[in-house]
Amino acid sequence: MTPATLASAGLDTGDTAWLLAATALVLLMTPGLALFYGGMVRTKSVLNMLMMSFVSIALVTVVWLVAGYSLAFGDDTFAGLIGGLDHVGMAGIGPDDLTGSVPTLLFTTFQLTFAILTAALISGAVADRMKFSAWLLFVPVWTLLVYVPVAHWVWGPGGWIKDSLGALDFAGGLVVEIACGASGLALALVLGPRIGFKKDAMRPHNLPMVMLGAGLLWFGWLGFNGGSALGANGLAAASVLNTLVAGCTGLLGWLFVEQRRDGHPTTFGAASGVVAGLVAITPACGTVGVLGAAVVGLAAGVVCSYAVAWKFRFDYDDSLDVVGVHFIGGVVGTLLIGLFATATMTGGPEGLLLGGGTGQLLRQGVAVLAVAAYTFLVTYGIGKAIDRLIGARASEDQELTGLDQTVHAESAYDHGGLTHATAQSPGHIAAHSQDRSTAP
């Protein structure tokens, strides 16, 4: 997804039309994520989860247009680490300027949707317990200090991971998945575990909402990965097919583990498996063939189905499994490029299993370590600073009562009508009075 030199080619209306559609698909992923996360939390925090995703759209958009795009995709100013400020406030970019064969304003918008989704993904790690005011401060600061530099390293002109190291990341395994996963872990450690973690049942309160959210994410992911080809071409088509395939094998891998380990496949496992497969294929969709995509998705479905339980062993409360799915899935997909990359897709570099030696695998590993370390440490610092400044965690009373009521003064569900309608049926009342809210 590296931009070409401005105005290096003429406008291609087919490429432009495809990227317009892909941009809309990627933007849809954030509302899809809101539903996915909203269904996973308890009833008392549904609206708060929806708000954390939706407000990220507004916050990141402002930051991106003011300085984020220029710093990420402007000409390199220092050792492949950060871009310049030539386009602050989108200065110097008009409707006739091109990035490759598409308008630069469209390329900017497409990249913006990636930044929005990445920030929103982090909210799953701190569900039920982060102050909304702290989130409003965290998102723009994190976008500038974490997302923007990493995007420049991997995709920007002169970025050190792309140009000096030579690691491959077609659509965001490093920039999106590993960055949000490592950042989610850091922020979860700053806040500490939820009240009742490892003691109270905290399962998803609305599995149909989770499945709907996962379906919207899968739909949008076709634009996420296919659009990263920046053109209506064979690479876009291959990326779309690889994305579909990996989602399918991720689902099957997760369900296989559930059946073998627990004795039953679940809808929650199916949704999680799809997302795990999609996460893993994100960096690899433009570098591996169809068989490689199937293996990448399957590996992620199996590995991530075990990784989500690590939080109970290591005592970090990653509420909605951002670490177990996005970080681990991102690592799996990014590393497997070093095994399955094919010259047919990359135009040069090949993986170990296709005769390319260990070089590409080592480059992928260095990139993973660098991005994970940077994003974790900087995010931890941001979280600590916000905690000192305004306090990052909601009060005990707010957490126990629920952030929907105490922060937003709203409730996702009106239980008054239900109580009235079932007043003549004590058994029915008892059935509906049980707390179905559990976490993964």
Side-chain angles (χ1 to χ4, degrees), residues 39-434:
M40 290 172 71
V41 296
R42 291 169 284 184
T43 55
K44 61 185 180 180
S45 296
V46 181
L47 298 179
N48 181 254
M49 288 310 304
L50 298 178
M51 281 288 286
M52 291 178 86
S53 286
F54 271 80
V55 79
S56 297
I57 299 175
L59 293 171
V60 177
T61 296
V62 172
V63 171
W64 191 252
L65 297 181
V66 170
Y69 171 77
S70 185
L71 291 169
F73 291 99
D75 291 336
D76 185 68
T77 59
F78 182 71
L81 297 177
I82 197 69
L85 295 173
D86 294 341
H87 302 301
V88 167
M90 302 305 293
I93 300 177
D96 295 328
D97 291 312
L98 300 178
T99 294
S101 59
V102 301
T104 298
L105 290 176
L106 175 56
F107 175 77
T108 300
T109 309
F110 181 66
Q111 291 293 344
L112 166 61
T113 59
F114 277 62
I116 290 168
L117 181 65
T118 309
L121 282 166
I122 300 171
S123 65
V126 295
D128 293 328
R129 64 196 188 279
M130 187 171 187
K131 281 185 178 180
F132 191 64
S133 58
W135 180 251
L136 294 178
L137 181 56
F138 172 81
V139 169
V141 174
W142 182 88
T143 300
L144 275 178
L145 297 185
V146 177
Y147 183 87
V148 164
V150 174
H152 183 76
W153 299 354
V154 178
W155 294 327
W160 76 270
I161 287 180
K162 172 175 67 72
D163 289 353
S164 299
L165 179 63
L168 301 175
D169 181 5
F170 188 76
L174 296 165
V175 182
V176 178
E177 308 302 350
I178 291 175
C180 79
S183 297
L185 176 60
L187 200 55
L189 292 176
V190 170
L191 292 178
R194 290 166 291 177
I195 296 172
F197 175 63
K198 297 175 68 174
K199 296 178 183 178
D200 298 340
M202 298 179 181
R203 293 195 186 97
H205 89 281
N206 191 325
L207 287 171
M209 185 184 293
V210 173
M211 294 292 281
L212 175 60
L216 289 174
L217 285 169
W218 200 348
F219 178 64
W221 227 300
L222 301 179
F224 193 89
N225 289 350
S228 295
L230 301 182
N233 50 40
L235 183 59
S239 299
V240 167
L241 177 58
N242 284 344
T243 301
L244 178 60
V245 168
C248 293
T249 55
L251 182 155
L252 295 174
W254 196 297
L255 292 186
F256 173 80
V257 172
E258 280 194 329
Q259 180 66 48
R260 182 178 179 87
R261 180 185 60 200
D262 308 322
H264 44 260
T266 67
T267 55
F268 189 37
S272 300
V274 167
V275 174
L278 295 172
V279 165
I281 199 58
T282 294
C285 61
T287 61
V288 303
V290 175
L291 179 59
V295 175
V296 167
L298 183 64
V302 171
V303 173
C304 291
S305 66
Y306 289 106
V308 294
W310 294 350
K311 62 185 178 184
F312 300 112
R313 180 183 303 175
F314 298 109
D315 290 322
Y316 62 88
D317 187 7
D318 168 26
S319 304
L320 307 183
D321 300 322
V322 179
V323 179
V325 174
H326 292 275
F327 180 76
I328 299 301
V331 170
V332 168
T334 303
L335 292 180
L336 288 182
I337 291 173
L339 297 181
F340 294 105
T342 171
T344 303
M345 296 288 285
T346 65
E350 288 190 310
L352 176 63
L353 298 184
L354 282 88
T358 60
Q360 192 62 49
L361 180 59
L362 292 174
R363 288 189 282 273
Q364 298 301 122
V366 171
V368 166
L369 291 174
V371 171
Y374 176 81
T375 55
F376 177 86
L377 292 173
V378 177
T379 302
Y380 191 85
I382 295 171
K384 281 293 188 180
I386 292 175
D387 193 38
R388 285 181 174 271
L389 183 63
I390 63 172
R393 180 159 182 160
S395 68
E396 182 177 349
D397 180 65
Q398 288 178 318
E399 186 175 342
L400 290 173
T401 303
L403 300 180
D404 288 359
Q405 288 285 358
T406 59
V407 176
H408 307 292
E410 296 174 302
S411 175
Y413 304 101
D414 181 3
H415 297 293
L418 176 64
T419 303
H420 177 75
T422 59
Q424 299 179 10
S425 176
H428 198 177
I429 292 175
H432 282 81
S433 64
Q434 299 175 5

